Amino acid sequence: MTTESMPKTVIWWGIAIALAGGFLIAAAPYALSAWWAVNTAEWSAAVVVVEIILAIARTTLAPLGAALIAAGLVMVYVDRRLRGDRIADRPHRWRFPSAEEVER
């Protein structure tokens, strides 16, 4: 992965992770109850473990995807600013004032 393709890759990963998180939020409870029939204590314990894992995934995947999309957009913006296509796009660099400027 090069620095030119990194923002696009991060944005696409963010979209995929956000969609996966949205799918888990919408479909995981129904799929789990349709797939497993809890009829013993052992299966009940397995369902609890899978429910905990799915709850953690549902909680973290959608915000992680949104954060990756935002990070990719920030990388595109910063890259354009640092490239300086136009004079107005160049970054405004802050510098420490010299000793003469401070004494005034």
mmCIF file of all heavy atoms in Angstrom, residues 40-92:
data_model
loop_
_atom_site.group_PDB
_atom_site.id
_atom_site.type_symbol
_atom_site.label_atom_id
_atom_site.label_comp_id
_atom_site.label_asym_id
_atom_site.label_seq_id
_atom_site.Cartn_x
_atom_site.Cartn_y
_atom_site.Cartn_z
ATOM 1 N N THR A 40 -30.548 -27.672 25.852
ATOM 2 C CA THR A 40 -29.794 -28.196 26.993
ATOM 3 C C THR A 40 -29.009 -27.054 27.621
ATOM 4 O O THR A 40 -28.889 -25.966 27.066
ATOM 5 C CB THR A 40 -28.806 -29.303 26.555
ATOM 6 O OG1 THR A 40 -27.851 -28.728 25.666
ATOM 7 C CG2 THR A 40 -29.522 -30.463 25.884
ATOM 8 N N ALA A 41 -28.472 -27.314 28.791
ATOM 9 C CA ALA A 41 -27.698 -26.297 29.502
ATOM 10 C C ALA A 41 -26.397 -25.962 28.760
ATOM 11 O O ALA A 41 -25.955 -24.814 28.760
ATOM 12 C CB ALA A 41 -27.391 -26.771 30.913
ATOM 13 N N GLU A 42 -25.806 -26.981 28.121
ATOM 14 C CA GLU A 42 -24.558 -26.735 27.397
ATOM 15 C C GLU A 42 -24.802 -25.808 26.200
ATOM 16 O O GLU A 42 -24.019 -24.900 25.933
ATOM 17 C CB GLU A 42 -23.934 -28.056 26.920
ATOM 18 C CG GLU A 42 -23.389 -28.928 28.020
ATOM 19 C CD GLU A 42 -24.478 -29.755 28.690
ATOM 20 O OE1 GLU A 42 -25.594 -29.854 28.141
ATOM 21 O OE2 GLU A 42 -24.211 -30.290 29.780
ATOM 22 N N TRP A 43 -25.881 -26.074 25.469
ATOM 23 C CA TRP A 43 -26.191 -25.203 24.341
ATOM 24 C C TRP A 43 -26.561 -23.815 24.818
ATOM 25 O O TRP A 43 -26.272 -22.825 24.147
ATOM 26 C CB TRP A 43 -27.317 -25.786 23.493
ATOM 27 C CG TRP A 43 -26.838 -26.851 22.566
ATOM 28 C CD1 TRP A 43 -27.105 -28.180 22.652
ATOM 29 C CD2 TRP A 43 -25.985 -26.688 21.440
ATOM 30 N NE1 TRP A 43 -26.478 -28.865 21.645
ATOM 31 C CE2 TRP A 43 -25.777 -27.957 20.880
ATOM 32 C CE3 TRP A 43 -25.364 -25.600 20.843
ATOM 33 C CZ2 TRP A 43 -24.992 -28.173 19.755
ATOM 34 C CZ3 TRP A 43 -24.583 -25.807 19.727
ATOM 35 C CH2 TRP A 43 -24.402 -27.070 19.194
ATOM 36 N N SER A 44 -27.198 -23.728 25.946
ATOM 37 C CA SER A 44 -27.547 -22.418 26.493
ATOM 38 C C SER A 44 -26.288 -21.623 26.822
ATOM 39 O O SER A 44 -26.217 -20.424 26.554
ATOM 40 C CB SER A 44 -28.406 -22.590 27.740
ATOM 41 O OG SER A 44 -28.720 -21.348 28.291
ATOM 42 N N ALA A 45 -25.282 -22.296 27.386
ATOM 43 C CA ALA A 45 -24.019 -21.626 27.690
ATOM 44 C C ALA A 45 -23.315 -21.193 26.399
ATOM 45 O O ALA A 45 -22.741 -20.099 26.336
ATOM 46 C CB ALA A 45 -23.117 -22.552 28.497
ATOM 47 N N ALA A 46 -23.374 -22.016 25.368
ATOM 48 C CA ALA A 46 -22.750 -21.660 24.094
ATOM 49 C C ALA A 46 -23.450 -20.460 23.478
ATOM 50 O O ALA A 46 -22.799 -19.563 22.921
ATOM 51 C CB ALA A 46 -22.784 -22.853 23.148
ATOM 52 N N VAL A 47 -24.769 -20.418 23.571
ATOM 53 C CA VAL A 47 -25.516 -19.285 23.026
ATOM 54 C C VAL A 47 -25.175 -18.013 23.785
ATOM 55 O O VAL A 47 -25.043 -16.939 23.181
ATOM 56 C CB VAL A 47 -27.034 -19.580 23.058
ATOM 57 C CG1 VAL A 47 -27.833 -18.327 22.785
ATOM 58 C CG2 VAL A 47 -27.376 -20.652 22.054
ATOM 59 N N VAL A 48 -24.998 -18.101 25.091
ATOM 60 C CA VAL A 48 -24.629 -16.923 25.881
ATOM 61 C C VAL A 48 -23.266 -16.394 25.446
ATOM 62 O O VAL A 48 -23.086 -15.183 25.281
ATOM 63 C CB VAL A 48 -24.648 -17.259 27.390
ATOM 64 C CG1 VAL A 48 -23.983 -16.161 28.200
ATOM 65 C CG2 VAL A 48 -26.069 -17.496 27.856
ATOM 66 N N VAL A 49 -22.313 -17.286 25.222
ATOM 67 C CA VAL A 49 -20.980 -16.865 24.788
ATOM 68 C C VAL A 49 -21.052 -16.202 23.407
ATOM 69 O O VAL A 49 -20.467 -15.133 23.180
ATOM 70 C CB VAL A 49 -20.006 -18.074 24.772
ATOM 71 C CG1 VAL A 49 -18.713 -17.729 24.060
ATOM 72 C CG2 VAL A 49 -19.742 -18.551 26.174
ATOM 73 N N VAL A 50 -21.799 -16.803 22.491
ATOM 74 C CA VAL A 50 -21.925 -16.224 21.151
ATOM 75 C C VAL A 50 -22.661 -14.890 21.215
ATOM 76 O O VAL A 50 -22.312 -13.945 20.511
ATOM 77 C CB VAL A 50 -22.621 -17.223 20.200
ATOM 78 C CG1 VAL A 50 -22.970 -16.568 18.882
ATOM 79 C CG2 VAL A 50 -21.735 -18.432 19.972
ATOM 80 N N GLU A 51 -23.673 -14.783 22.071
ATOM 81 C CA GLU A 51 -24.396 -13.515 22.228
ATOM 82 C C GLU A 51 -23.480 -12.417 22.762
ATOM 83 O O GLU A 51 -23.558 -11.266 22.330
ATOM 84 C CB GLU A 51 -25.593 -13.681 23.168
ATOM 85 C CG GLU A 51 -26.835 -14.136 22.494
ATOM 86 C CD GLU A 51 -27.401 -13.107 21.537
ATOM 87 O OE1 GLU A 51 -27.206 -11.892 21.731
ATOM 88 O OE2 GLU A 51 -28.036 -13.530 20.576
ATOM 89 N N ILE A 52 -22.597 -12.753 23.687
ATOM 90 C CA ILE A 52 -21.652 -11.759 24.220
ATOM 91 C C ILE A 52 -20.699 -11.304 23.117
ATOM 92 O O ILE A 52 -20.451 -10.104 22.954
ATOM 93 C CB ILE A 52 -20.883 -12.334 25.425
ATOM 94 C CG1 ILE A 52 -21.823 -12.487 26.615
ATOM 95 C CG2 ILE A 52 -19.690 -11.450 25.793
ATOM 96 C CD1 ILE A 52 -21.221 -13.232 27.786
ATOM 97 N N ILE A 53 -20.181 -12.239 22.348
ATOM 98 C CA ILE A 53 -19.269 -11.888 21.250
ATOM 99 C C ILE A 53 -19.988 -11.024 20.219
ATOM 100 O O ILE A 53 -19.452 -10.015 19.745
ATOM 101 C CB ILE A 53 -18.683 -13.164 20.617
ATOM 102 C CG1 ILE A 53 -17.742 -13.850 21.599
ATOM 103 C CG2 ILE A 53 -17.961 -12.844 19.317
ATOM 104 C CD1 ILE A 53 -17.304 -15.234 21.182
ATOM 105 N N LEU A 54 -21.217 -11.400 19.878
ATOM 106 C CA LEU A 54 -21.977 -10.609 18.907
ATOM 107 C C LEU A 54 -22.331 -9.234 19.462
ATOM 108 O O LEU A 54 -22.332 -8.250 18.715
ATOM 109 C CB LEU A 54 -23.243 -11.355 18.493
ATOM 110 C CG LEU A 54 -23.039 -12.515 17.528
ATOM 111 C CD1 LEU A 54 -24.353 -13.243 17.289
ATOM 112 C CD2 LEU A 54 -22.459 -12.037 16.228
ATOM 113 N N ALA A 55 -22.621 -9.145 20.745
ATOM 114 C CA ALA A 55 -22.930 -7.838 21.337
ATOM 115 C C ALA A 55 -21.715 -6.918 21.281
ATOM 116 O O ALA A 55 -21.844 -5.726 20.973
ATOM 117 C CB ALA A 55 -23.406 -8.017 22.777
ATOM 118 N N ILE A 56 -20.545 -7.462 21.565
ATOM 119 C CA ILE A 56 -19.323 -6.656 21.478
ATOM 120 C C ILE A 56 -19.078 -6.226 20.031
ATOM 121 O O ILE A 56 -18.748 -5.068 19.761
ATOM 122 C CB ILE A 56 -18.121 -7.439 22.051
ATOM 123 C CG1 ILE A 56 -18.280 -7.602 23.564
ATOM 124 C CG2 ILE A 56 -16.807 -6.742 21.720
ATOM 125 C CD1 ILE A 56 -17.283 -8.552 24.183
ATOM 126 N N ALA A 57 -19.268 -7.149 19.090
ATOM 127 C CA ALA A 57 -19.064 -6.814 17.678
ATOM 128 C C ALA A 57 -20.077 -5.777 17.210
ATOM 129 O O ALA A 57 -19.736 -4.834 16.498
ATOM 130 C CB ALA A 57 -19.158 -8.083 16.820
ATOM 131 N N ARG A 58 -21.341 -5.940 17.631
ATOM 132 C CA ARG A 58 -22.376 -4.975 17.231
ATOM 133 C C ARG A 58 -22.087 -3.601 17.803
ATOM 134 O O ARG A 58 -22.372 -2.581 17.184
ATOM 135 C CB ARG A 58 -23.750 -5.446 17.704
ATOM 136 C CG ARG A 58 -24.314 -6.553 16.880
ATOM 137 C CD ARG A 58 -25.767 -6.782 17.231
ATOM 138 N NE ARG A 58 -25.980 -7.016 18.643
ATOM 139 C CZ ARG A 58 -26.390 -8.151 19.168
ATOM 140 N NH1 ARG A 58 -26.649 -9.168 18.388
ATOM 141 N NH2 ARG A 58 -26.566 -8.273 20.458
ATOM 142 N N THR A 59 -21.506 -3.561 18.995
ATOM 143 C CA THR A 59 -21.226 -2.281 19.640
ATOM 144 C C THR A 59 -20.024 -1.576 19.027
ATOM 145 O O THR A 59 -19.996 -0.352 18.956
ATOM 146 C CB THR A 59 -20.976 -2.500 21.150
ATOM 147 O OG1 THR A 59 -22.098 -3.187 21.691
ATOM 148 C CG2 THR A 59 -20.789 -1.191 21.871
ATOM 149 N N THR A 60 -19.044 -2.329 18.580
ATOM 150 C CA THR A 60 -17.791 -1.703 18.142
ATOM 151 C C THR A 60 -17.640 -1.559 16.629
ATOM 152 O O THR A 60 -16.942 -0.647 16.178
ATOM 153 C CB THR A 60 -16.582 -2.493 18.661
ATOM 154 O OG1 THR A 60 -16.667 -3.845 18.206
ATOM 155 C CG2 THR A 60 -16.523 -2.459 20.174
ATOM 156 N N LEU A 61 -18.257 -2.424 15.834
ATOM 157 C CA LEU A 61 -17.978 -2.409 14.401
ATOM 158 C C LEU A 61 -18.515 -1.169 13.690
ATOM 159 O O LEU A 61 -17.811 -0.577 12.868
ATOM 160 C CB LEU A 61 -18.517 -3.671 13.732
ATOM 161 C CG LEU A 61 -17.698 -4.929 13.982
ATOM 162 C CD1 LEU A 61 -18.317 -6.114 13.251
ATOM 163 C CD2 LEU A 61 -16.270 -4.755 13.561
ATOM 164 N N ALA A 62 -19.732 -0.769 13.978
ATOM 165 C CA ALA A 62 -20.284 0.398 13.286
ATOM 166 C C ALA A 62 -19.514 1.681 13.620
ATOM 167 O O ALA A 62 -19.141 2.432 12.712
ATOM 168 C CB ALA A 62 -21.771 0.546 13.602
ATOM 169 N N PRO A 63 -19.211 1.980 14.900
ATOM 170 C CA PRO A 63 -18.398 3.174 15.170
ATOM 171 C C PRO A 63 -16.975 3.078 14.611
ATOM 172 O O PRO A 63 -16.416 4.084 14.172
ATOM 173 C CB PRO A 63 -18.373 3.275 16.695
ATOM 174 C CG PRO A 63 -19.546 2.513 17.153
ATOM 175 C CD PRO A 63 -19.740 1.422 16.138
ATOM 176 N N LEU A 64 -16.400 1.874 14.619
ATOM 177 C CA LEU A 64 -15.062 1.712 14.040
ATOM 178 C C LEU A 64 -15.084 2.000 12.550
ATOM 179 O O LEU A 64 -14.188 2.668 12.022
ATOM 180 C CB LEU A 64 -14.537 0.302 14.305
ATOM 181 C CG LEU A 64 -13.196 -0.047 13.668
ATOM 182 C CD1 LEU A 64 -12.093 0.831 14.241
ATOM 183 C CD2 LEU A 64 -12.874 -1.505 13.854
ATOM 184 N N GLY A 65 -16.111 1.522 11.858
ATOM 185 C CA GLY A 65 -16.237 1.815 10.429
ATOM 186 C C GLY A 65 -16.382 3.300 10.170
ATOM 187 O O GLY A 65 -15.755 3.852 9.263
ATOM 188 N N ALA A 66 -17.206 3.974 10.978
ATOM 189 C CA ALA A 66 -17.374 5.423 10.817
ATOM 190 C C ALA A 66 -16.067 6.160 11.092
ATOM 191 O O ALA A 66 -15.729 7.129 10.396
ATOM 192 C CB ALA A 66 -18.478 5.920 11.737
ATOM 193 N N ALA A 67 -15.322 5.714 12.093
ATOM 194 C CA ALA A 67 -14.039 6.352 12.404
ATOM 195 C C ALA A 67 -13.030 6.146 11.278
ATOM 196 O O ALA A 67 -12.260 7.059 10.950
ATOM 197 C CB ALA A 67 -13.487 5.802 13.719
ATOM 198 N N LEU A 68 -13.028 4.976 10.663
ATOM 199 C CA LEU A 68 -12.113 4.737 9.544
ATOM 200 C C LEU A 68 -12.481 5.585 8.332
ATOM 201 O O LEU A 68 -11.604 6.098 7.635
ATOM 202 C CB LEU A 68 -12.108 3.256 9.169
ATOM 203 C CG LEU A 68 -11.353 2.329 10.116
ATOM 204 C CD1 LEU A 68 -11.544 0.878 9.698
ATOM 205 C CD2 LEU A 68 -9.885 2.679 10.152
ATOM 206 N N ILE A 69 -13.779 5.738 8.081
ATOM 207 C CA ILE A 69 -14.199 6.604 6.975
ATOM 208 C C ILE A 69 -13.748 8.037 7.237
ATOM 209 O O ILE A 69 -13.204 8.704 6.354
ATOM 210 C CB ILE A 69 -15.726 6.521 6.784
ATOM 211 C CG1 ILE A 69 -16.117 5.124 6.282
ATOM 212 C CG2 ILE A 69 -16.210 7.583 5.802
ATOM 213 C CD1 ILE A 69 -17.595 4.848 6.324
ATOM 214 N N ALA A 70 -13.957 8.508 8.455
ATOM 215 C CA ALA A 70 -13.534 9.869 8.800
ATOM 216 C C ALA A 70 -12.021 10.019 8.701
ATOM 217 O O ALA A 70 -11.520 11.038 8.209
ATOM 218 C CB ALA A 70 -14.021 10.224 10.201
ATOM 219 N N ALA A 71 -11.273 9.015 9.152
ATOM 220 C CA ALA A 71 -9.813 9.085 9.062
ATOM 221 C C ALA A 71 -9.350 9.130 7.615
ATOM 222 O O ALA A 71 -8.417 9.866 7.271
ATOM 223 C CB ALA A 71 -9.189 7.889 9.775
ATOM 224 N N GLY A 72 -9.990 8.368 6.747
ATOM 225 C CA GLY A 72 -9.640 8.403 5.334
ATOM 226 C C GLY A 72 -9.912 9.756 4.710
ATOM 227 O O GLY A 72 -9.115 10.265 3.915
ATOM 228 N N LEU A 73 -11.041 10.365 5.071
ATOM 229 C CA LEU A 73 -11.348 11.699 4.551
ATOM 230 C C LEU A 73 -10.360 12.743 5.062
ATOM 231 O O LEU A 73 -9.956 13.640 4.314
ATOM 232 C CB LEU A 73 -12.780 12.084 4.922
ATOM 233 C CG LEU A 73 -13.876 11.246 4.260
ATOM 234 C CD1 LEU A 73 -15.231 11.636 4.798
ATOM 235 C CD2 LEU A 73 -13.820 11.379 2.758
ATOM 236 N N VAL A 74 -9.954 12.620 6.319
ATOM 237 C CA VAL A 74 -8.952 13.549 6.857
ATOM 238 C C VAL A 74 -7.617 13.356 6.147
ATOM 239 O O VAL A 74 -6.927 14.329 5.838
ATOM 240 C CB VAL A 74 -8.810 13.367 8.384
ATOM 241 C CG1 VAL A 74 -7.589 14.084 8.920
ATOM 242 C CG2 VAL A 74 -10.068 13.858 9.089
ATOM 243 N N MET A 75 -7.249 12.100 5.850
ATOM 244 C CA MET A 75 -5.992 11.858 5.128
ATOM 245 C C MET A 75 -6.033 12.493 3.738
ATOM 246 O O MET A 75 -5.031 13.058 3.294
ATOM 247 C CB MET A 75 -5.725 10.359 5.017
ATOM 248 C CG MET A 75 -5.224 9.739 6.285
ATOM 249 S SD MET A 75 -4.604 8.067 6.054
ATOM 250 C CE MET A 75 -6.112 7.147 6.012
ATOM 251 N N VAL A 76 -7.171 12.405 3.063
ATOM 252 C CA VAL A 76 -7.297 13.033 1.744
ATOM 253 C C VAL A 76 -7.152 14.542 1.872
ATOM 254 O O VAL A 76 -6.438 15.190 1.091
ATOM 255 C CB VAL A 76 -8.652 12.655 1.097
ATOM 256 C CG1 VAL A 76 -8.919 13.506 -0.135
ATOM 257 C CG2 VAL A 76 -8.665 11.190 0.736
ATOM 258 N N TYR A 77 -7.815 15.127 2.866
ATOM 259 C CA TYR A 77 -7.751 16.575 3.052
ATOM 260 C C TYR A 77 -6.332 17.039 3.374
ATOM 261 O O TYR A 77 -5.830 17.991 2.772
ATOM 262 C CB TYR A 77 -8.703 16.992 4.176
ATOM 263 C CG TYR A 77 -8.590 18.446 4.540
ATOM 264 C CD1 TYR A 77 -9.137 19.428 3.735
ATOM 265 C CD2 TYR A 77 -7.910 18.847 5.683
ATOM 266 C CE1 TYR A 77 -9.033 20.765 4.054
ATOM 267 C CE2 TYR A 77 -7.792 20.178 6.019
ATOM 268 C CZ TYR A 77 -8.355 21.136 5.202
ATOM 269 O OH TYR A 77 -8.237 22.446 5.520
ATOM 270 N N VAL A 78 -5.677 16.344 4.298
ATOM 271 C CA VAL A 78 -4.308 16.734 4.685
ATOM 272 C C VAL A 78 -3.357 16.546 3.512
ATOM 273 O O VAL A 78 -2.472 17.381 3.284
ATOM 274 C CB VAL A 78 -3.854 15.942 5.928
ATOM 275 C CG1 VAL A 78 -2.377 16.102 6.187
ATOM 276 C CG2 VAL A 78 -4.655 16.375 7.142
ATOM 277 N N ASP A 79 -3.540 15.485 2.748
ATOM 278 C CA ASP A 79 -2.674 15.249 1.593
ATOM 279 C C ASP A 79 -2.810 16.374 0.571
ATOM 280 O O ASP A 79 -1.820 16.849 0.023
ATOM 281 C CB ASP A 79 -3.022 13.901 0.964
ATOM 282 C CG ASP A 79 -2.070 13.538 -0.156
ATOM 283 O OD1 ASP A 79 -0.860 13.777 0.007
ATOM 284 O OD2 ASP A 79 -2.537 13.023 -1.189
ATOM 285 N N ARG A 80 -4.033 16.807 0.331
ATOM 286 C CA ARG A 80 -4.233 17.908 -0.613
ATOM 287 C C ARG A 80 -3.647 19.202 -0.073
ATOM 288 O O ARG A 80 -3.090 19.998 -0.835
ATOM 289 C CB ARG A 80 -5.718 18.091 -0.894
ATOM 290 C CG ARG A 80 -6.269 17.034 -1.797
ATOM 291 C CD ARG A 80 -7.701 17.304 -2.145
ATOM 292 N NE ARG A 80 -8.232 16.219 -2.936
ATOM 293 C CZ ARG A 80 -9.507 15.980 -3.092
ATOM 294 N NH1 ARG A 80 -10.397 16.758 -2.511
ATOM 295 N NH2 ARG A 80 -9.913 14.973 -3.823
ATOM 296 N N ARG A 81 -3.779 19.426 1.222
ATOM 297 C CA ARG A 81 -3.214 20.652 1.802
ATOM 298 C C ARG A 81 -1.691 20.650 1.734
ATOM 299 O O ARG A 81 -1.069 21.666 1.429
ATOM 300 C CB ARG A 81 -3.654 20.808 3.261
ATOM 301 C CG ARG A 81 -5.084 21.149 3.492
ATOM 302 C CD ARG A 81 -5.332 22.586 3.211
ATOM 303 N NE ARG A 81 -4.432 23.422 3.974
ATOM 304 C CZ ARG A 81 -4.757 24.524 4.584
ATOM 305 N NH1 ARG A 81 -5.981 24.946 4.513
ATOM 306 N NH2 ARG A 81 -3.878 25.227 5.246
ATOM 307 N N LEU A 82 -1.077 19.515 2.030
ATOM 308 C CA LEU A 82 0.387 19.456 2.019
ATOM 309 C C LEU A 82 0.954 19.491 0.607
ATOM 310 O O LEU A 82 2.072 19.943 0.396
ATOM 311 C CB LEU A 82 0.868 18.205 2.752
ATOM 312 C CG LEU A 82 0.664 18.218 4.255
ATOM 313 C CD1 LEU A 82 1.125 16.902 4.849
ATOM 314 C CD2 LEU A 82 1.385 19.379 4.898
ATOM 315 N N ARG A 83 0.195 18.996 -0.350
ATOM 316 C CA ARG A 83 0.662 19.023 -1.731
ATOM 317 C C ARG A 83 0.719 20.459 -2.239
ATOM 318 O O ARG A 83 1.589 20.813 -3.021
ATOM 319 C CB ARG A 83 -0.273 18.178 -2.595
ATOM 320 C CG ARG A 83 0.290 17.851 -3.928
ATOM 321 C CD ARG A 83 -0.540 16.868 -4.658
ATOM 322 N NE ARG A 83 -1.702 16.469 -3.858
ATOM 323 C CZ ARG A 83 -2.801 15.962 -4.355
ATOM 324 N NH1 ARG A 83 -2.919 15.791 -5.632
ATOM 325 N NH2 ARG A 83 -3.803 15.623 -3.584
ATOM 326 N N GLY A 84 -0.223 21.296 -1.808
ATOM 327 C CA GLY A 84 -0.204 22.705 -2.160
ATOM 328 C C GLY A 84 -0.475 22.953 -3.620
ATOM 329 O O GLY A 84 0.335 23.574 -4.297
ATOM 330 N N ASP A 85 -1.598 22.466 -4.126
ATOM 331 C CA ASP A 85 -1.940 22.690 -5.534
ATOM 332 C C ASP A 85 -2.090 24.179 -5.836
ATOM 333 O O ASP A 85 -1.697 24.647 -6.882
ATOM 334 C CB ASP A 85 -3.235 21.961 -5.894
ATOM 335 C CG ASP A 85 -3.065 20.456 -5.831
ATOM 336 O OD1 ASP A 85 -1.923 19.996 -6.013
ATOM 337 O OD2 ASP A 85 -4.059 19.760 -5.602
ATOM 338 N N ARG A 86 -2.666 24.904 -4.903
ATOM 339 C CA ARG A 86 -2.800 26.354 -5.056
ATOM 340 C C ARG A 86 -2.151 27.018 -3.854
ATOM 341 O O ARG A 86 -1.911 26.404 -2.838
ATOM 342 C CB ARG A 86 -4.281 26.755 -5.098
ATOM 343 C CG ARG A 86 -5.032 26.168 -6.250
ATOM 344 C CD ARG A 86 -6.451 26.647 -6.223
ATOM 345 N NE ARG A 86 -6.934 26.739 -4.842
ATOM 346 C CZ ARG A 86 -8.195 26.754 -4.489
ATOM 347 N NH1 ARG A 86 -9.114 26.701 -5.393
ATOM 348 N NH2 ARG A 86 -8.552 26.848 -3.234
ATOM 349 N N ILE A 87 -1.874 28.289 -3.976
ATOM 350 C CA ILE A 87 -1.246 29.017 -2.867
ATOM 351 C C ILE A 87 -2.149 29.026 -1.649
ATOM 352 O O ILE A 87 -1.680 28.936 -0.523
ATOM 353 C CB ILE A 87 -0.910 30.443 -3.346
ATOM 354 C CG1 ILE A 87 0.495 30.494 -3.698
ATOM 355 C CG2 ILE A 87 -1.326 31.504 -2.422
ATOM 356 C CD1 ILE A 87 1.602 31.042 -3.265
ATOM 357 N N ALA A 88 -3.452 29.118 -1.856
ATOM 358 C CA ALA A 88 -4.379 29.139 -0.727
ATOM 359 C C ALA A 88 -4.467 27.780 -0.043
ATOM 360 O O ALA A 88 -4.880 27.692 1.115
ATOM 361 C CB ALA A 88 -5.758 29.575 -1.197
ATOM 362 N N ASP A 89 -4.081 26.709 -0.745
ATOM 363 C CA ASP A 89 -4.145 25.371 -0.170
ATOM 364 C C ASP A 89 -2.935 25.019 0.673
ATOM 365 O O ASP A 89 -2.960 24.027 1.386
ATOM 366 C CB ASP A 89 -4.274 24.324 -1.281
ATOM 367 C CG ASP A 89 -5.598 24.402 -1.977
ATOM 368 O OD1 ASP A 89 -6.547 24.928 -1.368
ATOM 369 O OD2 ASP A 89 -5.684 23.952 -3.131
ATOM 370 N N ARG A 90 -1.880 25.804 0.550
ATOM 371 C CA ARG A 90 -0.667 25.474 1.303
ATOM 372 C C ARG A 90 -0.914 25.645 2.793
ATOM 373 O O ARG A 90 -1.656 26.526 3.211
ATOM 374 C CB ARG A 90 0.488 26.356 0.857
ATOM 375 C CG ARG A 90 0.906 26.036 -0.550
ATOM 376 C CD ARG A 90 2.141 26.770 -0.931
ATOM 377 N NE ARG A 90 2.427 26.500 -2.337
ATOM 378 C CZ ARG A 90 3.034 27.344 -3.129
ATOM 379 N NH1 ARG A 90 3.444 28.502 -2.675
ATOM 380 N NH2 ARG A 90 3.240 27.030 -4.381
ATOM 381 N N PRO A 91 -0.294 24.801 3.603
ATOM 382 C CA PRO A 91 -0.544 24.898 5.041
ATOM 383 C C PRO A 91 0.058 26.174 5.621
ATOM 384 O O PRO A 91 1.095 26.653 5.181
ATOM 385 C CB PRO A 91 0.150 23.662 5.605
ATOM 386 C CG PRO A 91 1.148 23.269 4.582
ATOM 387 C CD PRO A 91 0.605 23.714 3.252
ATOM 388 N N HIS A 92 -0.619 26.725 6.595
ATOM 389 C CA HIS A 92 -0.111 27.881 7.314
ATOM 390 C C HIS A 92 0.752 27.348 8.454
ATOM 391 O O HIS A 92 0.248 26.768 9.391
ATOM 392 C CB HIS A 92 -1.272 28.715 7.857
ATOM 393 C CG HIS A 92 -2.195 29.174 6.783
ATOM 394 N ND1 HIS A 92 -1.886 30.196 5.915
ATOM 395 C CD2 HIS A 92 -3.412 28.733 6.397
ATOM 396 C CE1 HIS A 92 -2.873 30.374 5.071
ATOM 397 N NE2 HIS A 92 -3.825 29.479 5.333
#
